[in-house]
Amino acid sequence: MTGSKQSPPKFSAERHGSRIAAIALAAAIASWTDRARTEEQLPPYTVVGDAIPQSLTGAKGNVERGRSIVVNRQVGLCLLCHSGPFPEEKFQGTLAPNLKGTGAHWSEGQLRLRLVDASQFNPNTIMPPYYRVDGLTRVAPAFQGKPVLSAEQIEDVVAYLATLREE
């Protein structure tokens, strides 16, 4: 017919099958490599009793950065469950203990373990592990093999929580 153009060719799995398989394989390798790289970067830690006595980074954390992580609902997520001495923050959580006085109740090592993996001392805790990446269920694919907080962020939060000494 005059004025009409030919329809575009239909997608054919037979014609494009090898291209699709190559793309899927590349995506799987990239995902595995990224996950392996993330897991390799996690400094190891040793639990002694009810604490991780050594810093995950070998250095003290930054108190100011720690406070900003605690109050940031997109990073630390702490205020979704906890409340604390943060008068500027509205709608603080009521599912977990108040953070006020945290530094008076627990040592830095005990705080570190609670952040890294609270299930080490309470298997029924609702607190997620912020640093452990293995043995978890219902983790979105984009977050598998990645800790919620980095070792440096954990140390910053520990440094801040240790300053909360008033009841």
Side-chain angles (χ1 to χ4, degrees):
M1 289 197 232
T2 308
S4 63
K5 61 182 189 179
Q6 185 176 2
S7 298
K10 296 203 186 249
F11 178 82
S12 166
E14 291 174 7
R15 285 195 352 224
H16 299 289
S18 61
R19 186 178 301 162
I20 292 169
I23 291 170
L25 179 60
I29 290 171
S31 171
W32 177 81
T33 310
D34 183 48
R35 186 175 308 136
R37 190 177 324 115
T38 300
E39 289 175 358
E40 284 175 17
Q41 293 172 350
L42 293 180
Y45 57 88
T46 303
V47 176
V48 178
D50 65 346
I52 300 174
Q54 301 298 316
S55 165
L56 299 175
T57 63
K60 286 266 191 194
N62 179 287
V63 173
E64 290 79 26
R65 280 194 314 249
R67 186 183 196 286
S68 70
I69 291 167
V70 168
V71 298
N72 186 321
R73 286 178 173 85
Q74 284 75 43
V75 179
L77 312 168
C78 304
L79 297 184
L80 295 177
C81 296
H82 295 277
S83 59
F86 318 107
E88 75 281 8
E89 294 296 326
K90 296 181 191 272
F91 310 113
Q92 296 182 27
T94 58
L95 296 174
N98 189 311
L99 296 176
K100 186 176 183 182
T102 302
H105 291 293
W106 295 292
S107 70
E108 288 186 9
Q110 290 170 318
L111 291 169
R112 190 174 293 112
L113 178 57
R114 280 163 170 71
L115 291 167
V116 167
D117 183 11
S119 71
Q120 289 280 320
F121 64 91
N122 179 3
N124 297 319
T125 185
I126 63 169
M127 185 167 167
Y130 281 81
Y131 192 70
R132 179 173 62 91
V133 296
D134 60 325
L136 304 175
T137 58
R138 296 181 290 184
V139 177
F143 299 104
Q144 290 178 355
K146 299 175 184 174
V148 176
L149 297 177
S150 69
E152 182 180 31
Q153 289 173 313
I154 294 283
E155 293 306 320
D156 292 342
V157 172
V158 167
Y160 173 66
L161 293 176
T163 68
L164 300 180
R165 306 202 68 74
E166 292 184 25
E167 298 283 332

